[in-house]
């Protein structure tokens, strides 16, 4: 991304990139309020669509690791998510569980035939075809040896053969869909606004050293009166990507998702039903995880992303095995929580 040619209006948000590397970007954001800056931080952490291994079909596993442990380790391997929007969410697809339109297939087959311990790395994952584009799905390998993280170790005669299904999701559902390892966020490094009340023993200045961001603002002058009308004006971000997206792309995707969420609110308030096709409906197009993890049918547009429901929902509600929507019968009798109304 060419940071020198960014065309920003004087009245709009201002971004100053202080440092950028292959996996990290440090920038300041100004001319916005605290709510907007914190919303961007939260969206970057939890609601950017990313590709990750979601289903592991184990055909053979004679290693010392259980199938569930290997599946967990595979799910945390970062996969290239460039232009992941070319891939559908599973719930938007017409297939039963997964297909070429909503998933990427990776396979792994290793067998140790020697006396030495055999290590299986992320590079040993074989990417299947077809794929929506040439980038998406490749395991991210950033170590100098080009091996990637260790999946398992095999001794002589042990074998591991499995099939991995990668799907698109967001970190709100599981950390494996997180695009960043951390997002540093700070404002008012000199604590002029007194939003922080430091606990100290003798001297707060010595016991709470200033961050590097303090050099970008004027310090509090001795005897300076407190300004009750002051508000935060500059926000400091330090974002580190895990590799599935470039750091500047993470920020751009965060802004895009935030725009989609705001557009969905505006659409609901204005009753505009004719804008679904423009991709601005965040809940319908950009903020869901695979399978039935976000609830089910019914309930209108916003019921499609209910947040923290489980895959065991039925008829759009979070019922259990002991009761339907109007049920409430357990092996120990009826409970008030499953009824249509409270008991008198």
């Amino acid at each position: 991304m060419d940071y020198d040619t960014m065309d920003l209006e004087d009245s709009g948000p201002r971004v100053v990139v202080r440092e950028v590397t292959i996996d990290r970007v440090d920038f300041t954001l100004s001319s916005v309020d605290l709510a907007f800056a914190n919303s961007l931080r939260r969206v970057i952490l939890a609601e950017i669509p990313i590709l990750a291994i979601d289903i592991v079909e184990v055909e053979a596993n004679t290693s010392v690791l259980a199938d569930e442990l290997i599946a967990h380790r595979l799910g945390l391997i970062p996969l290239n998510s460039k232009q992941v929007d070319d891939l559908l969410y599973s719930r938007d697809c017409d297939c039963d569980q997964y297909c070429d339109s909503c998933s990427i297939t990776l396979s792994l087959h290793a067998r140790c035939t020697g006396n030495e311990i055999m290590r299986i790395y992320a590079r040993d994952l074989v990417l299947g075809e077809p794929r929506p584009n040439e980038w998406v799905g490749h395991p991210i390998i950033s170590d100098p040896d080009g091996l990637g993280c260790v999946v398992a170790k095999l001794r002589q005669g042990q074998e591991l053969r499995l099939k991995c299904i990668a799907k698109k999701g967001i970190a709100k559902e599981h950390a494996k869909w997180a695009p960043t390892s951390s997002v540093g966020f700070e404002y008012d490094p000199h604590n002029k606004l007194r939003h922080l009340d430091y606990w100290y023993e003798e001297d707060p200045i010595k016991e709470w050293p200033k961050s590097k961001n303090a050099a970008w603002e004027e310090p509090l002058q001795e005897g300076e009166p407190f300004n009750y009308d002051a508000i935060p004006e500059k926000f400091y971000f330090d974002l580190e990507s895990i590799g599935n997206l470039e750091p500047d792309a993470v920020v751009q995707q965060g802004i895009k998702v935030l725009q989609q969420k705001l557009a969905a609110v505006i659409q609901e308030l204005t009753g505009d039903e004719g804008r679904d096709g423009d991709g601005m409906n965040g809940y319908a197009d950009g903020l869901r995880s695979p399978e039935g993890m976000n609830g089910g049918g019914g309930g209108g547009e916003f019921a499609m992303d209910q947040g923290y429901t489980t895959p065991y929902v039925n008829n759009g509600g979070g019922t259990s095995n002991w009761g339907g929507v109007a049920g409430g019968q357990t092996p120990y009798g009826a409970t008030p929580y499953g009824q249509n109304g409270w008991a008198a």
Side-chain angles (χ1 to χ4, degrees), residues 187-198 210 220:
Y187 67 92
D188 188 24
H190 294 288
N191 199 26
K192 291 182 179 180
L193 304 177
R194 300 181 186 176
H195 287 183
L196 294 178
D197 187 11
Y198 293 117
K210 304 296 183 183
L220 183 64

Side-chain angles (χ1 to χ4, degrees), residues 280-298:
M280 293 301 291
N281 186 345
Y283 286 90
D285 297 327
L287 300 176
R288 295 196 306 273
S289 290
E291 300 303 330
M293 297 298 291
N294 288 328

Side-chain angles (χ1 to χ4, degrees), residues 30 52 153 235 250 274:
S30 57
K153 297 179 182 180
F235 306 92
V250 173

